[in-house]
Amino acid sequence: EVQLVESGGGLVQPGGSLRLSCAASGFTFSSYEMNWVRQAPGKGLEWVSYISSSGSTIYYADSVKGRFTISRDNAKNSLYLQMNSLRAEDTAVYYCARDSVGIGGNYFDYWGQGTLVTVSS
Amino acid sequence: QSVLTQPPSVSGAPGQRVTISCTGSSSNIGAGYDVHWYQQLPGTAPKLLIYGNSNRPSGVPDRFSGSKSGTSASLAITGLQAEDEADYYCQSYDSSLRVFGGGTKLTVL
């Protein structure tokens, strides 16, 4: 059974940093591309970042570029999101999501349960 | 403002058919990218509902169907049930980056 379990969320002051983790199990993690997707309270889904299976290709949404860093450790079956210079508008539930290859574009076939990040003084 | 436009809400009575639209442009859906749909039940993580415009993952009832034409896509739900009450999101690509619609809240009357 595919499982994605996020951790590391919490309350942080504006300008602060936080590192999220996603522990993967039930599949060959090193073979899959991964993503972070977030959802602000009462709002819709927003894709945040993508990393290829080897970690060699990375993309970010404009809203987090230069502040967030995605990484992975295939030996530990883990995905990470280092978040720096946090702003109030980064407050959201952060989900890790596995990529599945589609001919016309990939999609997210499995999601974690999410971890809440609150940026407030 | 989302790149993909969905109606904020739709509703229907049990047993009825409802559709949710997802309107894009020539830089996303119209560029040939597939549309995927996710269901988010209250208080839970999103779940893949339709992939590749019209394909259902294993376990998704055939009451759910998807289609795509031009710069738009649609999700149809037939035989509406109380447990279908949820938020629904479409997703595609724009300039090679993943984008979501703003989401549609489905209310079962």
Side-chain angles (χ1 to χ4, degrees), chain B residues 15 32 40 49 67 82:
Chain B
Q40 187 175 32
L49 192 65
S67 63

Side-chain angles (χ1 to χ4, degrees), chain A residues 95-107:
Chain A
Y95 297 100
C96 69
R98 193 180 82 167
D99 235 35
S100 190
V101 175
I103 294 174
N106 292 5
Y107 50 93

Side-chain angles (χ1 to χ4, degrees), chain B residues 5 9 11-12 15 21-23 25 27 32 45-46 49 55 57 59 69 74 92-93 101 103:
Chain B
T5 301
S9 63
S11 62
S21 61
C22 176
T23 303
S25 67
S27 66
L49 192 65
N55 301 291
S69 178
S74 288
S92 186
Y93 276 70

Side-chain angles (χ1 to χ4, degrees), chain B residues 45-108:
Chain B
K47 165 194 161 187
L48 179 65
L49 192 65
I50 297 286
Y51 66 95
N53 303 319
S54 59
N55 301 291
R56 285 186 308 276
S58 173
V60 173
D62 59 7
R63 301 186 296 104
F64 296 90
S65 63
S67 63
K68 172 191 161 184
S69 178
T71 59
S72 296
S74 288
L75 173 70
I77 309 172
T78 59
L80 206 55
Q81 298 181 4
E83 56 261 38
D84 298 333
E85 189 159 288
D87 294 324
Y88 293 83
Y89 295 90
C90 60
Q91 177 249 315
S92 186
Y93 276 70
D94 190 290
S95 303
S96 300
L97 298 181
R98 293 152 173 78
V99 291
F100 285 100
T104 299
K105 180 174 183 59
L106 168 62
T107 300
V108 180

Side-chain angles (χ1 to χ4, degrees), chain A residues 33 35 37 39 43-47 50 59-62 95 99 102-109 111-113, chain B residues 32-36 38 40 44-48 51-52 87 89 91-93 96-103:
Chain A
E33 300 156 12
N35 298 267
V37 177
Q39 185 172 34
K43 302 297 184 182
L45 301 172
E46 180 188 16
W47 169 79
Y50 156 93
Y59 299 117
Y60 297 100
D62 286 344
Y95 297 100
D99 235 35
I103 294 174
N106 292 5
Y107 50 93
F108 310 113
D109 62 350
W111 298 65
Q113 86 290 346
Chain B
Y33 292 114
D34 283 348
V35 177
H36 319 292
Y38 304 88
Q40 187 175 32
T44 69
K47 165 194 161 187
L48 179 65
Y51 66 95
D87 294 324
Y89 295 90
Q91 177 249 315
S92 186
Y93 276 70
S96 300
L97 298 181
R98 293 152 173 78
V99 291
F100 285 100

